[in-house]
Amino acid sequence: MIVIVFKYLTPKWVRGITLFPFIVLSEKLDRNDVVLLNHEKIHIRQQLEMLVLPFFVIYLTEFLLGYVKYKNWNLAYRNISFEREAYANEKDLYYLKQRSFWSFLNYY
């Protein structure tokens, strides 16, 4: 995991984005946000499990299907299985130590 702060690589409404093996943050202060970093580390694990490229294909597919269903960008984003897992467990800093393989499937 390599943490980079580069606000021009992230949209204005995004604090962090994970593009294996990088976590790109929009603000330097976010380097100290353990909850945000844990959320992004969960995405690192998901991307590794999915061999990176399939992660992004499934992520985009779930987003598009969610957008068609909800007609709302935020609801579509929040209902992506990968995001549901990350948001549900971002405050548990020990989650990745006990997380089982492909746990995101529990969030479909």
Side-chain angles (χ1 to χ4, degrees), residues 9 11 31-32 42 61 67 71 73 84 90 93:
L9 192 58
R31 282 183 173 271
N32 300 319
I42 293 169
T61 301
Y67 190 76
K71 309 268 190 286
W73 181 92
R84 291 179 65 203
E90 66 186 7
L93 302 182

Side-chain angles (χ1 to χ4, degrees), residues 19 25 30-31 33 36 38 42 44 83-85 92:
L19 305 165
L25 302 174
D30 285 332
R31 282 183 173 271
D33 187 332
L36 175 62
N38 197 48
I42 293 169
I44 290 272
E83 293 298 342
R84 291 179 65 203
E85 178 188 14
D92 180 356

Side-chain angles (χ1 to χ4, degrees), residues 15 33-43 78 82-98 107:
R15 290 178 57 203
D33 187 332
V34 294
V35 173
L36 175 62
L37 289 175
N38 197 48
H39 179 102
E40 299 305 332
K41 286 177 186 177
I42 293 169
H43 288 319
R78 289 288 185 147
F82 301 115
E83 293 298 342
R84 291 179 65 203
E85 178 188 14
Y87 278 111
N89 299 288
E90 66 186 7
K91 292 179 182 169
D92 180 356
L93 302 182
Y94 298 100
Y95 177 69
L96 286 172
K97 292 185 187 300
Q98 53 86 33
Y107 295 86

Side-chain angles (χ1 to χ4, degrees), residues 48-62:
L48 273 171
E49 290 173 350
M50 298 295 297
L51 304 176
V52 184
L53 187 58
F55 169 89
F56 290 106
V57 171
I58 293 168
Y59 191 102
L60 181 61
T61 301
E62 283 190 41

